[in-house]
Amino acid sequence: MSRQGAENTLQIKKSGFKKCMEAREFTLAVLLLAIIVLLSVTTKDFANPANVRVLLLGMTSDLIIAVPMGISLIAGNIDFSVGSTMGLASVLGGMIINATGNAVAGIVAALLIGAVLGIINAVMICHLHVTPLVATLGTWMAYKGLQKVIAANAIANFPSDFFALGRTEFNFFGVSVPISIIYMLAVFVVGIFVLKKVNFFHNAYFIGSNKDSARLAGINITKFTYVSYMITGILAAFAGMVLVSRLGTASQTIGSGLEFRIVVALLVGGLSMDGGEGSMIGIGMGVLLMQIISNALVLTGINPNYSEVIIGAILVLSVGIDQINKRRRAKARA
């Protein structure tokens, strides 16, 4: 099959879902707006600039990682190891900074470690033929175990120049904006661009829709898998180092639970576990919704631990809806 034929096949498939996808993103946007208005009216602090700042800071790590992870999922590759990758890479990076006294060396080392951890996932998927779900669940446990062993005691006492990475602020029209938020927005904008305009990353839709057709069309699926997991690892490590710089300590709890929160955000944002669909705007709205839920629990005085219950319920519901839609699409094609 030629590449043109594969594109035509994908176009036919996408045309049937285009309205559905637009409706899903529109519905999510309306839901977000309704929740924001409701919380603004019922709680005195939600619309407070200080709370908005906390809310945006709280979603920086999630969105920075969700961008490359979402592109991988569009190609049909899930990654449950991102939280552990973030934690392990940042802990090792923190140790190197303490050992050398060189912040740049520690940051670069953390990014390289993140790349290697991502490549390990790709090796298992491409060459050992382990499914992405099983492979990344395995590395999630392994990386998290190493993180706990290495960071049995919190790592702190970093040189002062390291804190510039996460604590720098810029003034825009009288508003102080933390650099973490700027990182997040930059990654998000780049994600929108590459997914739409860069053929290599746009191929995620072809791969996720039909791997065999994509392979016959000349798309190097192995290369895509390596690059996507490597970038996800690098950005997970970067998000971890930014967080360590903000908090001033690297501990065994960094990244815990982040992977499930991001997966839920991706599914709520319109992506499918089977791949082939989704958008960066949907990813952004999904991450924002998860953060608003966590923020709302705090503002309303509800035990924050319920956030895990809510996220778990949304995960099951999202996967269930995704599977129902999958069966409906299969029947429609039959």
Side-chain angles (χ1 to χ4, degrees):
M1 182 184 294
S2 66
R3 181 184 179 88
Q4 184 62 42
E7 291 181 355
N8 290 338
T9 300
L10 177 63
Q11 190 61 39
I12 292 172
K13 180 177 179 181
K14 287 179 68 177
S15 63
F17 302 123
K18 187 174 180 181
K19 290 184 179 179
C20 177
M21 284 298 299
E22 290 174 349
R24 185 184 300 183
E25 291 181 0
F26 177 76
T27 301
L28 182 56
V30 171
L31 176 62
L32 274 171
L33 181 61
I35 293 175
I36 290 171
V37 170
L38 178 64
L39 289 172
S40 298
V41 172
T42 58
T43 63
K44 63 178 182 179
D45 294 324
F46 180 77
N48 187 296
N51 184 62
V52 173
R53 175 190 172 97
V54 169
L55 191 153
L56 291 175
L57 276 173
M59 65 183 285
T60 51
S61 294
D62 289 19
L63 188 53
I64 287 172
I65 299 173
V67 168
M69 186 174 165
I71 295 175
S72 287
L73 186 55
I74 290 173
N77 295 322
I78 190 69
D79 188 352
F80 275 105
S81 71
V82 289
S84 299
T85 297
M86 173 185 179
L88 180 56
S90 59
V91 163
L92 291 172
M95 291 180 65
I96 292 171
I97 292 175
N98 270 353
T100 64
N102 190 320
V104 174
I107 294 168
V108 172
L111 299 182
L112 292 174
I113 291 167
V116 170
L117 297 179
I119 288 173
I120 290 173
N121 287 330
V123 169
M124 289 192 293
I125 293 167
C126 295
H127 302 292
L128 300 182
H129 306 292
V130 181
T131 63
L133 176 63
V134 174
T136 58
L137 280 175
T139 52
W140 163 58
M141 296 178 67
Y143 298 165
K144 178 56 68 177
L146 286 173
Q147 179 187 357
K148 289 181 177 180
V149 171
I150 294 170
N153 298 311
I155 302 167
N157 301 317
F158 299 113
S160 58
D161 58 337
F162 173 60
F163 298 116
L165 178 69
R167 297 184 183 179
T168 301
E169 301 205 4
F170 295 92
N171 191 290
F172 293 100
F173 305 104
V175 178
S176 182
V177 180
I179 195 169
S180 299
I181 295 175
I182 296 175
Y183 293 147
M184 174 186 70
L185 294 176
V187 171
F188 185 58
V189 170
V190 171
I192 292 174
F193 175 78
V194 300
L195 187 58
K196 283 189 174 182
K197 302 297 183 180
V198 179
N199 285 336
F200 180 83
F201 294 101
H202 188 72
N203 284 339
Y205 291 104
F206 297 96
I207 298 169
S209 296
N210 191 316
K211 282 185 171 61
D212 292 332
S213 295
R215 188 176 290 107
L216 290 171
I219 296 174
N220 191 330
I221 297 177
T222 298
K223 180 179 178 181
F224 181 91
T225 303
Y226 268 89
V227 172
S228 60
Y229 275 104
M230 182 180 70
I231 292 176
T232 301
I234 291 172
L235 285 179
F238 176 72
M241 292 305 289
V242 172
L243 184 60
V244 169
S245 176
R246 274 177 50 206
L247 301 178
T249 181
S251 69
Q252 59 182 232
T253 61
I254 288 180
S256 297
L258 176 140
E259 54 281 314
F260 295 102
R261 192 167 64 243
I262 294 179
V263 168
V264 173
L266 295 178
L267 294 177
V268 169
L271 278 69
S272 169
M273 291 291 286
D274 296 318
E277 57 184 282
S279 73
M280 203 55 64
I281 299 299
I283 290 171
M285 289 194 293
V287 172
L288 177 59
L289 177 61
M290 291 299 101
Q291 188 59 36
I292 287 177
I293 290 174
S294 297
N295 185 259
L297 292 177
V298 174
L299 292 178
T300 54
I302 300 174
N303 189 333
N305 289 325
Y306 280 112
S307 65
E308 296 181 2
V309 178
I310 294 173
I311 290 173
I314 295 175
L315 174 60
V316 173
L317 182 62
S318 299
V319 172
I321 293 174
D322 184 51
Q323 291 303 307
I324 291 172
N325 289 335
K326 179 182 176 181
R327 287 195 292 271
R328 287 178 176 174
R329 292 195 294 266
K331 288 181 179 179
R333 288 195 299 265

